[in-house]
Amino acid sequence: MTYNSITFEIEKGVGLIRLNRPDHGNAIIPEMGRELLDVAVRCDEDPEIRSVVLTGNGDRFCVGGDLKAFDAQAEGISRYITEITHTFHAAISRFNWMDAPVIAAINGTAAGGGFSLALTTDIAIAAESAKFTMAYTKIGLVPDGSSSYFLARMVGMRRAKEMALLNPILSAEQALQWGLVNRVVADDQVLSTALEIAQELARGPTRSFGETKRLILAGTTDSLESQMERESRIISAIAASADGREGIVAFVSKRMPDFQGN
């Protein structure tokens, strides 16, 4: 598939996805939703891709939906947004359930669906100049892109409602304090920092990372006993995998493990 609203490249086990509508703040349109879903499937199914970095071209990460495009739909707006959310949400689901960790390099404003997209990643690195806001209710809409699932789990119910109803604009440092990002770095270091983390993860036990991601995701909604049963089954299987055995043997032998991602 040829991409227009995103770019994609692979180097040293890292898949680099760039949202590529910089003249529109990397606003989401149906084409971008379809392309994000396609690249998410590629990252999920290609064993050579062992970590992923998601960023935006230009000076903004993603401002959310393209409101000018929304306005142009007139009576067709409901169908238009349904198309966007179906593919956008399917891409987010793939990113969360796949083995490869996903690192956000938040290079500028993350608003609306862009804010939601940033929340869904496994690790988030923000530029000092980045701003964060939901903005949905400010224009009479409601959250999408999984933010109604992830936000309260990250910041608590009170702050989630504050962000969703009052639409404050958080600085990168405030986002760090609230637990929305892992690290804040200088603007010119955000991508290199994310890539450095991605390269470290790409050398790790990819299947173990995937199972860990899924355990944490399931643990937010499941009962204690169900979650512990899931943990028991998965750690037993992983211990018998090639990387599981390598990790154990390397530890006992007091050497660095050489993980192959399986």
Side-chain angles (χ1 to χ4, degrees):
M1 181 175 182
T2 300
Y3 299 129
N4 296 308
S5 63
I6 68 171
T7 66
F8 182 59
E9 57 191 280
I10 305 169
E11 184 175 355
K12 297 180 180 178
V14 178
L16 175 58
I17 304 167
R18 298 176 189 259
L19 307 180
N20 192 36
R21 301 187 70 228
D23 293 341
H24 304 275
N26 295 318
I28 303 162
I29 55 175
E31 180 181 44
M32 183 180 286
R34 292 190 297 269
E35 292 179 0
L36 281 172
L37 176 55
D38 184 84
V39 80
V41 172
R42 288 178 63 180
C43 291
D44 189 10
E45 295 185 348
D46 186 345
E48 297 302 313
I49 299 173
R50 295 173 63 183
S51 65
V52 175
V53 171
L54 178 63
T55 192
N57 276 333
D59 59 1
R60 286 169 287 184
F61 177 70
C62 177
V63 299
D66 190 327
L67 297 184
K68 289 184 178 179
F70 284 11
D71 183 54
Q73 304 308 308
E75 297 302 318
I77 185 66
S78 179
R79 181 174 180 178
Y80 182 82
I81 293 181
T82 296
E83 180 184 355
I84 293 176
T85 54
H86 278 190
T87 52
F88 186 48
H89 290 178
I92 287 170
S93 180
R94 279 277 181 163
F95 285 134
N96 274 274
W97 289 105
M98 71 186 187
D99 288 346
V102 181
I103 301 95
I106 305 166
N107 55 301
T109 297
F115 174 85
S116 298
L117 183 60
L119 292 185
T120 70
T121 56
D122 301 308
I123 296 173
I125 309 301
E128 288 177 333
S129 66
K131 304 293 183 184
F132 299 81
T133 187
M134 292 198 77
Y136 291 100
T137 60
K138 189 174 183 179
I139 56 171
L141 299 180
V142 299
D144 70 345
S146 78
S147 56
S148 63
Y149 179 90
F150 282 111
L151 183 59
R153 289 169 169 81
M154 291 183 176
V155 303
M157 191 67 72
R158 290 294 183 193
R159 280 180 165 172
K161 287 184 178 180
E162 178 183 353
M163 291 204 69
L165 300 177
L166 296 178
N167 302 295
I169 299 174
L170 302 185
S171 68
E173 284 297 333
Q174 287 174 306
L176 178 63
Q177 293 168 12
W178 282 30
L180 293 171
V181 300
N182 299 90
R183 198 180 305 177
V184 176
V185 299
D187 287 13
D188 62 356
Q189 295 176 12
V190 64
L191 182 56
S192 61
T193 301
L195 286 170
E196 182 179 344
I197 294 170
Q199 287 159 4
E200 178 183 348
L201 290 168
R203 295 188 292 270
T206 311
R207 183 181 168 197
S208 173
F209 289 154
E211 295 292 3
T212 299
K213 287 172 56 172
R214 292 185 284 273
L215 275 171
I216 292 171
L217 196 60
T220 60
T221 57
D222 218 337
S223 69
L224 172 61
E225 287 72 22
S226 296
Q227 185 69 359
M228 288 192 296
E229 174 64 19
R230 184 178 288 109
E231 288 177 344
S232 177
R233 290 176 179 273
I234 292 174
I235 195 172
S236 299
I238 287 294
S241 70
D243 275 352
R245 291 297 303 147
E246 167 63 12
I248 293 168
V249 170
F251 180 84
V252 172
S253 303
K254 297 182 180 181
R255 63 171 173 81
M256 292 297 294
D258 181 19
F259 295 121
Q260 300 301 309
N262 49 43

